[in-house]
Amino acid sequence: MDTDARALRSLAQTYFDSAHEMDADKFASIFHPSSSVTKVGDDGNVSVTPIATWLAAVRNLKAPKQQGLECQDQILSIDVEGELALLKLKLQIPPRYFTDMLSCLKVDGTWKIAQKVMTSKL
């Protein structure tokens, strides 16, 4: 369990770094290729976006790092059950504050994000 917790903390740090740098390739390294991003949009509808589409959008975003903004990220919880884990994270990508729930699976000995469910507020 200790090894899994360390690996998941490392995955979370890569996630935070990817968001701060808006580095789609770094994000891709921690997401399973069949994963998706789910959220309730500003219109109130639930949207499910395949990871490849989401990563393409990330490539067009301006990185907080480029704007000279500091990271305000934190791991709220890590829950592990065998090869399944749930990470609850908070981060800021101005002007929004995000809470992300990352469902992770241990695939061939490596933790990957299988599903990202997110919410944000201004």
Side-chain angles (χ1 to χ4, degrees):
M1 183 82 128
D2 248 5
T3 303
D4 288 329
R6 276 195 303 277
L8 289 160
R9 287 185 183 284
S10 177
L11 182 144
Q13 188 58 56
T14 300
Y15 186 85
F16 292 144
D17 293 345
S18 300
H20 190 63
E21 299 163 12
M22 279 302 146
D23 186 329
D25 294 331
K26 194 178 284 188
F27 266 131
S29 75
I30 57 173
F31 277 88
H32 190 274
S34 66
S35 62
S36 59
V37 176
T38 302
K39 68 177 185 170
V40 176
D42 294 333
D43 61 2
N45 292 319
V46 173
S47 68
V48 180
T49 306
I51 196 62
T53 303
W54 184 79
L55 290 170
V58 166
R59 287 183 171 87
N60 294 316
L61 296 175
K62 187 164 182 159
K65 184 177 181 178
Q66 289 176 329
Q67 300 173 54
L69 301 170
E70 291 186 28
C71 295
Q72 295 182 13
D73 308 326
Q74 64 185 126
I75 299 171
L76 299 177
S77 65
I78 298 175
D79 191 6
V80 180
E81 186 66 40
E83 70 274 346
L84 171 67
L86 182 63
L87 302 181
K88 184 176 180 182
L89 310 176
K90 272 207 179 287
L91 62 154
Q92 180 184 11
I93 301 174
R96 293 191 174 270
Y97 292 86
F98 293 87
T99 301
D100 294 347
M101 303 286 277
L102 306 178
S103 294
C104 302
L105 295 172
K106 195 173 195 180
V107 180
D108 295 327
T110 302
W111 287 101
K112 294 288 184 179
I113 300 167
Q115 177 70 33
K116 169 181 168 167
V117 180
M118 58 177 275
T119 187
S120 68
K121 62 182 179 180
L122 292 174

